[in-house]
Amino acid sequence: MLKLSLLTLRAWPVTGNQAAAKISAVPDKGGFLAHVFWDKYLEYEERQEAHDRVFAILKRVIHIPMHQYARYFDRFHKMSVAQPITALESADVLARYRSEVLAESSCSE
């Protein structure tokens, strides 16, 4: 089962750039039924009104095969509408997409 308890999350104060460290410490392989853990983790961040952290957690969780995947993806999709494109993908991926689109548009002319 998961080694991080919810008490650990509550006792682990996070500010600013420490959010990324906290998220990276949470295990990715919690199992197919790890949604209970992620629900509690998201609930904690929502109580802190840390919407940027909620989005970061969802961005990570949607890549983990779980029973409740669709529910997390729906939340991520709704939140992503209000995010800048740079928050959705890394600069490398965006540059690759941009170059592919430019290459296709120059070939079609």
Side-chain angles (χ1 to χ4, degrees), residues 9 11 20 38 48 55 57 60-61 86 90 95 99:
L9 289 175
W38 292 107
Q48 304 299 315
F55 184 75
I57 295 166
R60 182 175 181 170
V61 169
T86 54
S90 67
S99 66

Side-chain angles (χ1 to χ4, degrees), residues 55 73-85 87-88:
F55 184 75
F73 185 79
D74 287 343
R75 283 184 68 188
F76 174 79
H77 185 265
K78 289 175 185 172
M79 288 184 80
S80 68
V81 174
Q83 301 293 324
I85 195 164
L88 300 175

Side-chain angles (χ1 to χ4, degrees), residues 7-87:
L7 293 174
T8 304
L9 289 175
R10 286 189 193 110
W12 196 358
V14 175
T15 58
N17 292 334
Q18 293 174 330
K22 181 177 179 181
I23 292 170
S24 67
V26 178
D28 280 342
K29 298 179 180 158
F32 187 67
L33 298 175
H35 61 275
V36 175
F37 173 82
W38 292 107
D39 287 344
K40 291 296 181 183
Y41 189 16
L42 288 164
E43 178 185 328
Y44 170 78
E45 296 297 355
E46 287 168 347
R47 278 185 284 156
Q48 304 299 315
E49 297 183 10
H51 302 291
D52 57 331
R53 285 183 262 175
V54 169
F55 184 75
I57 295 166
L58 288 170
K59 185 176 176 182
R60 182 175 181 170
V61 169
I62 63 170
H63 296 286
I64 303 171
M66 278 189 288
H67 181 261
Q68 299 290 326
Y69 165 81
R71 186 166 48 94
Y72 295 119
F73 185 79
D74 287 343
R75 283 184 68 188
F76 174 79
H77 185 265
K78 289 175 185 172
M79 288 184 80
S80 68
V81 174
Q83 301 293 324
I85 195 164
T86 54

